[in-house]
């Protein structure tokens, strides 16, 4: 397949689920891409029926529709970097990796989404093996939260000293880099550990106490993906992503009767 023409701005692709409430998933990713000044594209895996109170329905797309979206944009527009979010099923993951075998894309960030903030499952339990075996080994970076670490490698991270063991176990699944997000640990600043097994970078950010953090994980993975699309190396891209999501968490707002989203407006507010 011939190389796609260069786009005049960086391009990024999200492979993820739709959140009808607009706070997480593809909607958060595309807002993040805009805020990071990259051209955002989407390959939708599933449509969730969702509001601030939780997920009440999931409609998966046919796996071949997911693969076709990826091939279509990669073969014409080009994908500077990509991220995955809600992948729903092993069949969808197989379609994604099949498509990725047929086209060239830039670095891949895998956010191993398993559940919504309300605890609603977004991944079939029998799809965990496919996530470990098909997707994660292709990732430049994986961005699990503490619950996803428990699911993927069976390690309960309860303080800073557990983070290295978790990072080693996660790197054993085959990604080049891993970020262990310490944001949900009870103490002090939010410290994340970023490592490729060789380099070890601690990233801290002031903690903002807000319950309205729907979409924060998606936003970190998408902003880091945008940084990679802009040509940053992994460490710089994660720093770029952390700056973006920290400002978005500080800008979160209530919505509906439940959990509100992180705010993407901080990046465009001065225009109005
Ligand atoms: O934040 C994880 C996530 C990812 N993708 C979709 C979601 C959620 C959380 O609710 O709905 C579609």
């Amino acid at each position: 397949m011939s190389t796609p023409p260069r786009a005049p701005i960086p391009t990024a692709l999200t492979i993820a689920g739709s959140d009808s409430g607009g706070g997480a998933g593809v909607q958060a990713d595309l807002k993040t891409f805009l805020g990071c000044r990259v051209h955002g594209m989407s390959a939708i895996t599933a449509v969730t029926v969702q509001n601030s109170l939780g997920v009440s329905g999931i409609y998966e797309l046919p796996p071949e529709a997911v693969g076709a979206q990826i091939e279509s944009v990669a073969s014409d527009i080009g994908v500077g970097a990509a991220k995955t979010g809600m992948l729903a099923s092993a069949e969808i993951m197989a379609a994604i990796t099949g498509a990725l075998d047929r086209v060239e894309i830039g670095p891949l960030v895998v956010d191993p989404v398993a559940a919504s903030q309300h605890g609603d499952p977004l991944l079939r339990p029998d799809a965990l093996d496919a996530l470990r075996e098909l997707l994660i080994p292709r990732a430049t970076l994986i961005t699990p939260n503490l619950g996803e670490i428990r699911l993927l490698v069976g390690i309960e991270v309860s303080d800073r000293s557990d983070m290295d063991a978790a990072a080693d176990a996660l790197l054993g699944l085959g990604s080049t880099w891993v970020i262990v997000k310490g944001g949900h640990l009870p103490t002090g600043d939010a410290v994340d550990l970023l490592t490729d097994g060789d380099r070890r970078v601690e990233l801290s950010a002031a903690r903002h106490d807000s319950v309205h953090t729907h979409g924060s994980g998606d936003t970190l993975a998408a902003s880091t993906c945008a940084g990679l699309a802009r040509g940053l190396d992994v460490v710089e891209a994660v720093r770029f992503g952390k700056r973006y999501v920290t400002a978005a968490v500080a800008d979160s707002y209530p919505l509906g009767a439940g959990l509100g989203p992180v705010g993407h407006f901080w990046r465009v507010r001065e225009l109005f």
Side-chain angles (χ1 to χ4, degrees), residues 1 27 38 45 54 59 73-74 82 86 92 95 98 105 107-108 115 134 136 171 179 186 191 216 241 249 251 261 272:
M1 194 166 290
Q27 287 80 0
V38 308
T45 55
Y59 297 85
V73 299
M86 172 188 182
I92 289 176
I105 65 160
L108 177 67
L134 295 180
I136 290 179
L171 285 173
I179 181 164
V191 177
S216 55
V249 171
D251 203 33
F272 302 105

Side-chain angles (χ1 to χ4, degrees), residues 83-109:
K83 68 146 289 207
T84 65
M86 172 188 182
L87 299 180
S89 76
E91 292 73 20
I92 289 176
M93 291 182 210
I96 293 167
T97 52
L100 294 180
D101 285 340
R102 289 187 286 274
V103 291
E104 296 245 344
I105 65 160
L108 177 67
V109 177

Side-chain angles (χ1 to χ4, degrees), residues 29-93:
D29 295 341
L30 291 176
K31 284 185 268 190
T32 301
F33 290 158
L34 175 77
C36 295
R37 283 193 211 214
V38 308
H39 172 75
M41 301 173 285
S42 59
I44 293 182
T45 55
V47 172
T48 69
V49 179
Q50 184 170 182
N51 60 23
S52 74
L53 297 171
V55 176
S56 57
I58 293 180
Y59 297 85
E60 291 175 11
L61 259 74
E64 59 272 23
V66 181
Q69 292 173 83
I70 297 168
E71 287 192 52
S72 174
V73 299
S75 61
D76 171 43
I77 300 168
V79 175
K83 68 146 289 207
T84 65
M86 172 188 182
L87 299 180
S89 76
E91 292 73 20
I92 289 176
M93 291 182 210

Side-chain angles (χ1 to χ4, degrees), residues 151-207:
L151 273 178
L152 287 169
V153 292
I155 294 179
E156 188 74 47
V157 177
S158 45
D159 59 37
R160 296 265 296 272
S161 61
D162 300 326
M163 291 172 82
D164 284 295
D168 283 348
L170 289 160
L171 285 173
L173 299 179
S175 66
T176 313
W177 288 84
V178 59
I179 181 164
V180 176
K181 296 187 282 186
H184 292 104
L185 289 176
T187 50
D189 278 2
V191 177
D192 296 340
L193 169 63
L194 173 66
T195 179
D196 65 353
D198 224 2
R199 283 157 290 181
R200 187 183 181 287
V201 184
E202 281 192 11
L203 303 142
S204 69
R207 190 187 291 280

Side-chain angles (χ1 to χ4, degrees), residues 104-119:
E104 296 245 344
I105 65 160
L108 177 67
V109 177
V110 171
D111 185 16
V113 170
S116 78
Q117 213 154 4
H118 292 91

